[in-house]
Amino acid sequence: MARKSLVGVVADELLDRIIAGEFPPGTVVPGELELSARHEVSRMTVREAMKTLEAQRILSVERGRGTFVNPLNQWASLEAVLRAASEGTKDAAAAIQLIELRRMLETGACELAAERISDDELIALKEHVEKMQSSHEVNDLAGFVEADLAFHDVILHASGNVFVAVLFEPLHRVLEARRAETSAFPEIQEHAIGHHRKIAAALESRNPNEARLAMDAHMQQTLDDLKTYVLEA
């Protein structure tokens, strides 16, 4: 059990170095001897750590040439991909793809929620929007992000589809990091508040099509704001 834990520590530290850009895609990672000396562990522990990352397709072994870092789009570990998205260097493609993923999932969840959302959940949505508004007025970025995430969580759970909520759970950390990045702009906050009010109103009308369109418009505005205020900055 202890050895497995140590293997995990070495694998995580090597992954951190990959995410930080020390070993870009296509480059060779250090050999067992160098890594065992750096981490003060046995070569067997390093070997097992490398196998862990190879199983996740983060690394690939080419006999006689070495162990290479694979491109992000080949990684098979959702947790590792999310770590790269939240902790790595700014990646415009990853930021845009995250919104694309949210658009696919959240528009559908909002459509489902229109016919399933409870009165209490509708009240919660309005309370979260008001918290966004009050946080915006006093420049409370943390409070704004918290209310924003909570608003979307209500809709995901109100969809009544357990798979939607489960799929989004691992995304929470990276979404929090991205929201803090984009919501730092007052203009983006104003846009978000307006769209959240429209989404809440569409859900209150119990009209699935209106709810879907309202969420889709919000996702489009989010994408436009990302390109205008963040990626162009």
Side-chain angles (χ1 to χ4, degrees):
M1 189 68 183
R3 195 173 74 83
K4 285 185 180 179
S5 178
L6 192 55
V7 167
V9 169
V10 174
D12 280 346
E13 290 181 359
L14 181 54
L15 178 58
D16 284 340
R17 296 171 73 186
I18 292 170
I19 290 172
E22 188 174 343
F23 306 117
T27 60
V28 181
V29 297
E32 290 178 8
L33 200 58
E34 181 178 337
L35 289 174
S36 64
R38 177 187 177 98
H39 296 282
E40 298 182 338
V41 297
S42 69
R43 292 180 65 177
M44 178 64 74
T45 297
V46 170
R47 191 173 302 131
E48 292 301 316
M50 300 277 269
K51 284 182 180 179
T52 297
L53 296 182
E54 184 183 2
Q56 297 171 349
R57 298 215 297 267
I58 296 168
L59 299 177
S60 59
V61 177
E62 296 187 19
R63 304 303 174 191
R65 296 191 61 220
T67 301
F68 293 79
V69 178
N70 288 326
L72 185 64
N73 62 7
Q74 292 182 17
W75 293 12
S77 166
L78 176 60
E79 181 182 356
V81 170
L82 292 177
R83 282 177 61 182
S86 61
E87 300 168 16
T89 54
K90 286 187 178 179
D91 186 338
I96 290 172
Q97 288 173 15
L98 183 61
I99 293 176
E100 291 172 346
L101 174 62
R102 289 185 58 204
R103 192 171 199 163
M104 286 186 282
L105 293 176
E106 293 201 57
T107 53
C110 201
E111 182 178 14
L112 291 174
E115 295 183 318
R116 301 173 180 177
I117 194 166
S118 69
D119 290 340
D120 286 343
E121 287 170 326
L122 286 171
I123 292 172
L125 287 181
K126 294 177 182 178
E127 289 175 347
H128 293 319
V129 175
E130 293 311 314
K131 176 66 183 301
M132 291 172 68
Q133 181 68 55
S134 62
S135 297
H136 169 67
E137 292 171 357
V138 298
N139 197 27
D140 177 8
L141 178 58
F144 183 91
V145 171
E146 181 182 11
D148 187 356
L149 290 171
F151 179 95
H152 287 270
D153 281 344
V154 169
I155 296 173
L156 293 172
H157 287 90
S159 72
N161 188 308
V162 66
F163 297 104
V164 172
V166 170
L167 281 171
F168 252 85
E169 183 58 34
L171 290 170
H172 188 84
R173 183 174 65 168
V174 66
L175 287 176
E176 187 172 15
R178 293 294 184 185
R179 290 288 215 293
E181 179 183 35
T182 57
S183 297
F185 296 85
E187 297 88 349
I188 293 181
Q189 291 186 16
E190 291 172 3
H191 295 161
I193 291 168
H195 279 282
H196 282 69
R197 290 194 190 282
K198 291 177 181 177
I199 292 167
L203 287 169
E204 189 171 25
S205 74
R206 311 284 183 176
N207 186 311
N209 188 53
E210 285 185 15
R212 183 182 186 90
L213 290 175
M215 181 61 78
D216 189 67
H218 173 42
M219 291 294 106
Q220 183 61 53
Q221 184 67 60
T222 301
L223 180 59
D224 292 342
D225 284 344
L226 176 72
K227 292 177 177 179
T228 301
Y229 295 94
V230 180
L231 300 183
E232 293 297 323

